[in-house]
Amino acid sequence: MFQAIKTLNYQFLFVFLCFLSVFPNQADPTPKQKDCSLLEPGVPSEYLLSRAIYEQIDGYQANNRKKTTEAKLGFENSVSFLDKYHACLKEKGQGPSAQSAEIQAQNYLELGYPGKAWEWSEIAKQNTKEVTKELVILQMRIRLREQDLTKATEVLERDLVSFPNDPDFLYLLGNLYFERKMWNQSLLYYTALSFVIERRDNHSKYKYITAKSLGELNYKLDYPKIAIKRYNEYNSVNKNDMEVLFRLAQIYFVLGDFKMSKFYLEQVREKNSRDIDASHMLAEIYFLEARDLAPQFFDTLKKEKKIPKDGIIPILYQLVNGRTIGLDEKLRNFIKANPGRLSPRVAFLELADNLNDPDYEQINAETAQYAYEYRQYGLAEKILKRGKQRLNSTQVEEKASYLEKIANCQEMLGQWNHAILSMKEAIVLSSDLEKKFRMRFRLAYLYLQGNLKKEKVSVDILSGTISENPNPTHYYLRGLSYFQLEKYKESIKDYTQAIEMDPTNPNFYFYRATAYDKLKQFPETESDLKKTISLNPNASNAMNYLGYLYAEKDMFPDEAKQLLTQAVTLEPDNPAYQDSLGWVYYRKKDYNLALLHLNFAASLALERGFEDPVIYEHLGDVYLAKKDPVNAVQFFKLSLSKDKQTSNKDLVSKIKRVEKEISE
């Protein structure tokens, strides 16, 4: 992959030139001229180039045979012949060719002189009409030899626009960013590679390693369901990868799906009977989720000699078997040493329940909080409901607190109606005014979630709360409710009130800008977006919004590009930002860069599980500008098929116009 040498052609050239030198033309009595002072009369300077290539080939072959001394000699000889060749060219008033400079760069790289290799690669680049993929990858290899991952990445990104759909480029970029632990950038390139594989090369050598990499990246970036999809794609071919099976178990554990977590852990145990980690994780799941089966599984581990002397497993084994003597101290010590572990806290709570510990309520609250933070919302809800049941009839305020927390768990589980009922009951029970205000705010927020579409109810709740306790966040949420009701003037009024009460909150300005935009009040929209960025230099949403508006209005193209480049730098895996940047390049008539970023946007949207008709229409517009009506109409039709509007007359008209152009 890293050699740009057509060995058969060069070997033929070398043999042919040697043939000419051995068998001169006897019929030509003309005295032969010297092509170069370093050569005999009649020998062309290209002879030196052919010898250099021949010696380099010997060097590579010796490397393959692991003959390092012979390899070094081959590359050194190649350098020597090239030095003579370049000296001959200099006598003629010529400089090194792109070909000879690239070969010299390869030699110096193999000899361990990356500095000289880089110098020659730059000469090759300056002397070529069109930079080749092999030359770019050679420069990347040189930077890697220098152990500079950042510069290696820059080499590839600088010329990516010339090779936007090249699997090698995309794979190398994804891999380099992964090594640099820059997960969002790595995800961008691996997603783009997956997009290319699916649409252009379904049998690519990168197909399954890309799926595995995307599984890991989506896991790291907290897209667990996408991670599962990608890992399963990889697992369909590589069924015995224990690392992936265990990772799938971990993801399902985090999602609270203990059934599927057990499914994969049992696969690990079946495929690798000596595995300890999967066995111990299974034991903790049985303890947390299936207590009636836990004793049996712990007994199995005992028979398999997989219950160690130390750690949480022997402690849980003791508890599930009803032997509680000394457990209190063991659990306290273990939790102190391992404060982030969930199962010992659940065990400690169970022990406190059994022993009627006077501190049970505090232990319950702490355990539920840890379960919530670990996204075990179902477990947290179960713990809180058990705590609420233990309260007596006089502990009304405590019941309200439990119900508020239960509502939060139900909200995270997507059980909006249950969460609303729990929160309403908590509000009725509580006599603490501050707590009531907080819970009313949360209730109003719940009515805006999911498919409830009860913005008016949210407005009513917030209006009552605001009349009693004016608060900037309450105005902000009511402004959001009005926005969803398409009452933009009322929305602006509330956001303005929130800003007057808290002028340093960038979110208030951003959302007021969105309302101004709906009313086509551009100066106010622009002003609020600029204010958002001034208050929060990392406000990528405001940068994207303002940059796209500038692009749409053909205003300040350089500033639009700067804003969107900064937004993409902050969130490279955001499809909306990539789409906006691509659109700016389209407006600047830089169609190749436009296609690069719009394809990034399309691939990222697919990875997130949706297809954006706007991105597809933008792709169609770029292809149309590039005088490629066939691809243009393909993307226009794709956009139309994904558009949820009842009709898009402009797009339909555009399709008809382009189809007519094709037919003519």
Side-chain angles (χ1 to χ4, degrees), residues 98 106 361 396 538 614 649:
Q106 292 167 347
E361 189 175 330
V396 178
N538 293 321
V614 173
K649 293 180 180 179

Side-chain angles (χ1 to χ4, degrees), residues 252-268:
Y252 277 114
F253 181 86
V254 169
L255 290 174
D257 190 339
F258 292 136
K259 180 180 178 181
M260 287 303 298
S261 185
K262 285 192 290 185
F263 172 77
Y264 285 105
L265 290 170
E266 285 163 357
Q267 281 193 49
V268 175

Side-chain angles (χ1 to χ4, degrees), residues 349 359-368 380-392 395-410 422-423 425-426 429-430 435 438-439:
L349 177 65
D359 295 326
Y360 174 83
E361 189 175 330
Q362 179 184 346
I363 298 169
N364 180 286
E366 290 176 355
T367 307
E381 181 186 15
K382 181 180 176 182
I383 290 169
L384 290 165
K385 285 183 174 179
R386 172 59 182 154
K388 178 174 169 289
Q389 288 174 354
R390 287 175 55 98
L391 298 175
N392 59 50
Q395 293 176 290
V396 178
E397 203 61 53
E398 289 82 354
K399 285 183 180 180
S401 295
Y402 271 104
L403 283 164
E404 182 184 5
K405 293 175 183 177
I406 288 169
N408 291 337
C409 295
Q410 291 166 336
S422 296
M423 195 64 77
E425 187 179 351
L429 288 174
S430 179
K435 186 188 291 186
R438 183 182 70 233
M439 291 190 292

Side-chain angles (χ1 to χ4, degrees), residues 35-36 39 43-50 85 88-89 92:
D35 189 44
C36 170
L39 294 168
V43 179
S45 56
E46 280 69 23
Y47 166 78
L48 295 168
L49 176 61
S50 68
Y85 175 63
C88 286
L89 292 178
K92 301 177 187 180

